[in-house]
Amino acid sequence: MSERRYLTIALTKGRLAHDTLELFERIGVNTAGAMDKKTRKLIFTNEELGLRFFLAKGPDVPTYVYYGAADIGIVGRDTIIEENKKLYEVLDLGYGKCRMCVCGPASARRFLEGGDQIRVATKYPNIAKDYFYRRKNQTVEIIKLNGSIELAPIVGLSEVIVDIVETGSTLRENGLEVLEEVLDLSARMVVNQVSMKMENERITDLITRLRNELAK
Ligand code: PRP
């Protein structure tokens, strides 16, 4: 008998991976110690089901899936849109719910009416560009940052930011607020286009089982 190929699943490190592994456990998939917070191991194998999980940084998940190094990825909708790779988005997992918003001090609201050439700091330059240039028809300067985006308007790097708002407490604690909503976000399952053909039965079965569990 020929050896069965592993189905490889790339998870976004952190909360999303934790929620996803819990979901897999609920459908009877033993995630082989991947939930162990102390481990520094990056890859986990379930021999019985021929599954492999690995943990990666969010923006790298679509890359692994696009190149076929992972068949499946679990990643936020924000990252899928920002990375803009050719992938099949097959399932909304419902958790990791948050919003992509334009935020700033209340006094920055007037800058969003157009006219001024403002600066927008963000970890998501493509989403920010699309929102301001295409949807709002406003020319802005986009400044790419890698974290703690809320700092930018406080220290005068930009007038506003485009960032993720979950509970809103980071904004509140820094005297900022939501000025406009850009996108609704949640965790999604994406699939490599070739894998979807080659492993259709196994992937479809997995999607069905996850969807049924989420509907409970
Ligand atoms: C994210 C996001 C906000 C915060 C929103 O940052 O960029 O800063 O969470 O969550 P809240 O509305 O519940 O306060 P993250 O913690 O991922 O770190 P980062 O600032 O380094 O990107």
Side-chain angles (χ1 to χ4, degrees):
M1 201 175 82
S2 68
E3 232 174 71
R4 187 155 70 144
R5 190 182 162 275
Y6 283 111
L7 209 54
T8 303
I9 304 171
L11 306 175
T12 300
K13 254 187 202 170
R15 267 267 300 284
L16 281 193
H18 183 267
D19 290 353
T20 304
L21 292 166
E22 229 171 50
L23 175 65
F24 274 85
E25 293 279 346
R26 294 210 313 264
I27 63 162
V29 173
N30 176 355
T31 56
M35 301 258 270
D36 179 359
K37 284 219 170 81
K38 287 192 300 267
T39 183
R40 298 289 296 165
K41 244 174 87 169
L42 294 172
I43 190 149
F44 306 90
T45 308
N46 177 320
E47 296 293 345
E48 184 198 346
L49 299 174
L51 290 178
R52 252 188 348 179
F53 296 91
F54 68 80
L55 304 173
K57 287 260 189 194
D60 296 340
V61 169
T63 307
Y64 282 108
V65 178
Y66 175 73
Y67 286 101
D71 302 288
I72 293 171
I74 307 292
V75 62
R77 180 173 183 234
D78 49 329
T79 307
I80 298 171
I81 296 174
E82 181 64 27
E83 295 303 312
N84 194 25
K85 300 253 185 331
K86 274 192 163 214
L87 306 168
Y88 292 131
E89 188 184 312
V90 295
L91 189 61
D92 182 348
L93 296 162
Y95 45 81
K97 272 204 165 75
C98 50
R99 298 175 297 160
M100 180 76 69
C101 299
V102 180
C103 311
S107 59
R109 204 173 282 279
R110 65 192 165 92
F111 294 125
L112 301 175
E113 280 148 23
D116 301 275
Q117 160 102 26
I118 56 163
R119 292 193 290 197
V120 178
T122 186
K123 208 151 75 166
Y124 301 89
N126 293 327
I127 292 176
K129 214 176 288 169
D130 183 72
Y131 182 71
F132 277 98
Y133 281 66
R134 205 175 56 79
R135 281 169 57 190
K136 280 179 66 78
N137 233 327
Q138 182 175 358
T139 308
V140 297
E141 184 179 348
I142 310 276
I143 301 175
K144 165 87 177 15
L145 291 178
N146 294 296
S148 303
I149 315 299
E150 289 83 358
L151 263 178
I154 298 172
V155 299
L157 178 63
S158 70
E159 279 74 22
V160 296
I161 60 174
V162 168
D163 198 22
I164 286 172
V165 180
E166 192 181 352
T167 61
S169 60
T170 312
L171 290 180
R172 267 192 306 278
E173 287 183 33
N174 291 289
L176 306 174
E177 57 187 66
V178 171
L179 303 174
E180 288 177 358
E181 289 192 22
V182 178
L183 291 169
D184 277 324
L185 306 171
S186 60
R188 306 291 162 102
M189 177 182 275
V190 290
V191 178
N192 172 275
Q193 296 194 336
V194 175
S195 304
M196 198 58 170
K197 288 195 189 76
M198 306 301 283
E199 296 286 348
N200 190 270
E201 204 173 314
R202 290 171 79 194
I203 293 175
T204 310
D205 175 64
L206 185 61
I207 295 168
T208 307
R209 286 196 292 145
L210 291 170
R211 187 180 287 131
N212 291 343
E213 180 59 33
L214 290 167
K216 276 185 188 167

